[in-house]
Amino acid sequence: QVQLVESGGGLVQPGGSLRLSCAASGFTFSAYAMSWYRQAPGKERELVARITSDGSITTDSVKGRCTISRDNAKNTVYQQMHSLKPEDTAVYYCNARRIRIGVIVNDYWGQGTQVTVSS
């Protein structure tokens, strides 16, 4: 029922750009905060960026080098990354989360898409 399908990953040279997409279905997309997380080998999963249902944006690990956006009509969230570095290499995961009265009601994850930054 619920699906988050990431795409757009791949191999990119240092300094290059990528645009990740996450197509969502099976829930009321516009009511959810959408986030991109990443996990590199040997590291914990970390937040890249989040955009809430009202459009508030948070960036963390790649602050200043990424732009998260959403298209509610298409049930899709995007992650535009630029000036990519080898340390950005990771599996990038799409996350959908809804919180009600301080409690996480739903927390959905995609399967991930590999981003490799290398010469």
Side-chain angles (χ1 to χ4, degrees), residues 23-93:
S25 61
F27 62 97
T28 306
F29 178 82
S30 61
Y32 282 69
M34 300 299 300
S35 299
W36 288 96
Y37 287 77
R38 70 183 183 185
Q39 188 164 24
K43 292 188 175 182
E44 294 185 352
R45 188 171 298 187
E46 62 181 355
L47 177 69
V48 179
R50 173 179 292 120
I51 182 166
T52 66
S53 60
D54 65 1
S56 179
I57 294 174
T58 298
T59 58
D60 193 1
S61 58
V62 291
K63 186 176 182 179
R65 298 189 292 112
C66 69
T67 301
I68 189 170
S69 61
R70 64 192 298 160
D71 187 338
N72 288 344
K74 296 181 178 179
N75 285 7
T76 302
V77 62
Y78 305 95
Q79 178 75 1
Q80 180 72 49
M81 301 183 291
H82 67 273
S83 301
L84 286 164
K85 306 174 181 179
E87 52 263 44
D88 294 320
T89 296
V91 177
Y92 285 71
Y93 296 92

